[in-house]
């Protein structure tokens, strides 16, 4: 964890998938049936770095999606109880 962000838009097709000049072009994706969706994310603030190893030392976070085997290190949902523990406990307040 390196910061706090919020979802800033609704889901919409990623326009780069249709652009042959884009490195993200996907010729199999069609405008009527897009394969790639996106949302805008707004960074609210940086935090001190909380590595996975630190998060794993807290049994209360064992069910967190980010810590599940096979989970990708990306934007993942956070349950309210996990959020409270991380923001108020590990990061020392809002």
């Amino acid at each position: 964890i390196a910061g706090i962000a919020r979802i800033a838009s609704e889901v919409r097709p990623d326009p780069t998938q249709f652009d042959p000049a884009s490195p993200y072009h996907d010729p199999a994706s069609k405008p009527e049936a897009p394969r790639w969706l996106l949302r805008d994310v707004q960074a609210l603030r940086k935090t001190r770095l909380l590595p996975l190893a630190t998060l794993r030392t807290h049994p209360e976070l064992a069910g967190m999606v980010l810590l599940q085997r096979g989970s990708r290190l990306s934007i993942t949902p956070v349950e309210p109880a996990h959020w409270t523990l991380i923001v108020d406990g590990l990061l020392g307040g809002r």
Side-chain angles (χ1 to χ4, degrees), residues 51-64:
L52 288 172
T54 299
L55 298 174
R56 286 192 172 105
T57 65
H58 295 274
E60 314 95 300
L61 298 176
M64 193 172 180

Side-chain angles (χ1 to χ4, degrees), residues 1-5 45-55 61 64 66-67 73-74 76 78 82-83 85-87 90-91:
I1 297 173
I4 306 294
R45 70 178 170 101
K46 288 183 179 181
T47 65
R48 69 179 178 84
L49 195 59
L50 282 177
L52 288 172
T54 299
L55 298 174
L61 298 176
M64 193 172 180
L66 179 68
L67 302 179
L73 295 179
S74 185
T76 59
V78 179
H82 297 151
W83 173 263
L85 177 65
I86 291 167
V87 173
L90 300 178
L91 292 175

Side-chain angles (χ1 to χ4, degrees), residues 10-66:
E10 295 298 320
V11 174
R12 65 184 186 281
D14 182 342
T16 63
Q17 67 192 307
F18 309 121
D19 180 1
S22 171
Y24 306 107
H25 179 242
D26 182 349
S29 189
K30 306 296 179 218
E32 62 278 0
R35 295 175 52 167
W36 303 100
L37 304 173
L38 65 80
R39 282 188 165 182
D40 295 315
V41 177
Q42 178 187 16
L44 298 177
R45 70 178 170 101
K46 288 183 179 181
T47 65
R48 69 179 178 84
L49 195 59
L50 282 177
L52 288 172
T54 299
L55 298 174
R56 286 192 172 105
T57 65
H58 295 274
E60 314 95 300
L61 298 176
M64 193 172 180
V65 173
L66 179 68

